Amino acid sequence: MRSDCPLNYGIEIFCDKWSLLIIRDLMFFGKRYFNEFLHSEEHIATNLLADRLSMLEKEKIIRKSKDTQHKQKIVYSLTEKGIDLLPVILTIGLWSEKHADIKLNPGRDIILGEAKKGLTRGIDKMRKKLIKEHEVG
Amino acid sequence: MRSDCPLNYGIEIFCDKWSLLIIRDLMFFGKRYFNEFLHSEEHIATNLLADRLSMLEKEKIIRKSKDTQHKQKIVYSLTEKGIDLLPVILTIGLWSEKHADIKLNPGRDIILGEAKKGLTRGIDKMRKKLIKEHEVG
DNA sequence: TTAACCACTTGCAAAACACAAGCGGCAACA
DNA sequence: TGTTGCCGCTTGTGTTTTGCAAGTGGTTAA
């Protein structure tokens, strides 16, 4: 670590071009398998995806488990630490919606709308949903 | 741009290991000069600092102006787009405080405390202060 | 006049990234 | 029971970004 600043702690872990996109896919698009992350529109390379998944697991942001149906498949899901990145992801999304100089996906309003109405309440509501989906707690 | 996802828009601009730290220094530590950013505890290199400052200016997150007193000095300050990164920085800080497995700087509680009491209210209060300090609006 | 300070720029080595191909384990099908 | 294809990766290679050190041209204080 370069410093003991809380901001820097988070930056060193997930501030790269891919980690938060993987977490987004887990949060909002129900993706759980290696191949599903691979086919997101940003097109991450297989080696980088493998790197990020093992890093995020090491940091206890995601959890790896075996699929009970298909033995060759591995299921990824969010831990509580991962779910708690929801405010970070939403605030970045809201900032982009306000300030982007290019046209963004209007479909994402469904996700951001709740947070736009009231940040704290929107986060609480979405957090509860995620805790159920990822069997946390 | 790799996609039209709002999250991705923000990520492509400021999700690297340095940009948010420079913005933090502008927001909370009153830093305004090249040399001041240079001497933060994370120790950015001069070429990277120059790169990031020109990128952040190009993205209209910061503003460059000449010091009226010292002609050789250049003053950096936040635009409204930059000030609006406050929620992003605060939520990363709060996440770190909650989940870090190492000891973090307890002095930062002064900054995070207001947001911890109530996120929306804390942001509003700090935002108003920043708008005055950076002469925005 | 000279020494220090200012915001950078340049050069180079190391690390990270991006792309393509391949690999061993598992599964569906003939 | 052999073949074909999907599964989560790993490996190899070239390119880009980063990190460090040194230097530069203009400015300022003594």
Side-chain angles (χ1 to χ4, degrees):
Chain A
M1 285 281 154
R2 300 174 295 187
S3 76
D4 62 354
C5 172
L7 178 66
N8 182 64
Y9 176 84
I11 285 173
E12 287 204 33
I13 293 173
F14 58 75
C15 267
D16 58 60
K17 303 295 180 204
W18 294 111
S19 296
L20 289 176
L21 294 176
I22 296 167
I23 295 160
R24 170 203 65 185
D25 288 348
L26 281 158
M27 281 185 174
F28 306 118
F29 305 130
K31 300 194 178 182
R32 294 293 182 273
Y33 303 110
F34 193 95
N35 264 329
E36 291 180 318
F37 301 120
L38 217 51
H39 294 118
S40 291
E41 49 180 346
E42 291 90 4
H43 298 118
I44 187 171
T46 55
N47 56 343
L48 294 181
L49 179 58
D51 278 0
R52 289 307 177 287
L53 287 171
S54 76
M55 182 276 289
L56 290 169
E57 195 202 3
K58 195 196 102 204
E59 296 291 343
K60 292 175 181 170
I61 288 168
I62 64 173
R63 191 189 313 117
K64 236 174 142 162
S65 45
K66 280 171 191 167
D67 195 310
T68 46
Q69 304 296 321
H70 302 264
K71 282 185 182 175
Q72 66 176 314
K73 278 194 170 186
I74 287 170
V75 186
Y76 293 95
S77 56
L78 291 166
T79 62
E80 197 196 344
K81 192 174 179 180
I83 290 171
D84 282 342
L85 284 172
L86 180 61
V88 175
I89 287 177
L90 290 175
T91 51
I92 295 174
L94 290 170
W95 179 86
S96 301
E97 265 213 336
K98 183 174 176 187
H99 292 288
D101 43 13
I102 58 162
K103 198 179 177 299
L104 298 178
N105 193 328
R108 303 298 154 90
D109 287 350
I110 302 158
I111 295 164
L112 294 173
E114 205 71 51
K116 217 187 286 181
K117 278 190 285 179
L119 188 57
T120 308
R121 290 285 275 275
I123 289 168
D124 281 354
K125 197 174 168 183
M126 299 173 89
R127 192 179 131 87
K128 275 172 189 156
K129 200 182 160 204
L130 287 173
I131 283 174
K132 281 183 191 168
E133 284 175 9
H134 294 262
E135 294 165 11
V136 168
Chain B
M1 286 280 154
R2 301 174 296 188
S3 77
D4 61 354
C5 173
L7 177 67
N8 182 63
Y9 176 84
I11 286 173
E12 288 203 32
I13 293 173
F14 59 75
C15 266
D16 58 60
K17 304 295 180 204
W18 295 110
S19 296
L20 289 176
L21 295 177
I22 295 168
I23 294 160
R24 169 204 65 185
D25 288 348
L26 280 159
M27 281 184 173
F28 306 119
F29 304 131
K31 301 195 179 182
R32 294 293 182 274
Y33 303 110
F34 193 94
N35 265 330
E36 291 179 320
F37 301 121
L38 217 52
H39 294 117
S40 291
E41 51 181 344
E42 291 89 2
H43 297 115
I44 188 171
T46 56
N47 57 342
L48 294 182
L49 178 57
D51 278 0
R52 288 309 176 285
L53 287 172
S54 76
M55 181 277 288
L56 290 170
E57 195 201 2
K58 195 195 103 204
E59 295 292 342
K60 294 177 180 167
I61 288 168
I62 64 173
R63 191 189 313 119
K64 237 174 141 163
S65 43
K66 281 171 188 167
D67 195 311
T68 46
Q69 304 296 322
H70 303 264
K71 280 185 183 174
Q72 69 176 313
K73 279 192 168 186
I74 287 169
V75 187
Y76 294 95
S77 57
L78 291 166
T79 63
E80 195 194 347
K81 193 173 179 180
I83 291 172
D84 282 342
L85 284 171
L86 180 62
V88 175
I89 287 178
L90 290 175
T91 52
I92 295 174
L94 290 170
W95 179 86
S96 300
E97 265 214 336
K98 181 173 177 187
H99 292 288
D101 44 12
I102 57 162
K103 196 178 177 301
L104 298 178
N105 193 328
R108 302 299 153 92
D109 287 351
I110 302 160
I111 294 164
L112 293 173
E114 205 71 48
K116 217 188 283 182
K117 280 191 285 180
L119 188 55
T120 307
R121 290 285 274 275
I123 289 168
D124 282 353
K125 197 174 167 182
M126 300 173 87
R127 191 180 131 87
K128 275 172 190 157
K129 200 183 159 204
L130 288 173
I131 283 174
K132 280 182 193 170
E133 284 176 9
H134 295 262
E135 295 166 8
V136 168

